[in-house]
Amino acid sequence: MLKFIKHHMETIVGIEFFPLFSFIIFFLFFLTLIVWVIKVDKKKLKDISNLPLDNDTTP
């Protein structure tokens, strides 16, 4: 099964860029997430984390 997939992947022209492109997207997403976590206001995070515990059910 793996030989079948590997053979077809090797015959596609330009496929070598997809793993690199995927890694760059993955890396940028988590880098952005880390920067956001560092810069976000801690009070805002505390308010967001308490949302599921609020019992105020006013519509």
Side-chain angles (χ1 to χ4, degrees):
M1 177 74 176
L2 187 59
K3 279 180 154 182
F4 178 75
I5 294 171
K6 186 176 177 184
H7 172 68
H8 284 290
M9 291 297 201
E10 288 175 349
T11 60
I12 299 173
V13 177
I15 193 118
E16 63 272 1
F17 296 109
F18 286 106
L20 181 62
F21 185 66
S22 299
F23 175 73
I24 290 171
I25 290 174
F26 176 82
F27 183 75
L28 289 176
F29 173 76
F30 282 102
L31 185 66
T32 305
L33 193 65
I34 289 170
V35 168
W36 180 79
V37 167
I38 291 171
K39 289 187 167 226
V40 72
D41 183 27
K42 302 307 177 200
K43 184 181 181 316
K44 182 177 179 180
L45 278 181
K46 186 168 178 116
D47 290 342
I48 292 172
S49 68
N50 286 330
L51 280 176
L53 302 175
D54 288 342
N55 288 331
D56 186 19
T57 57
T58 55

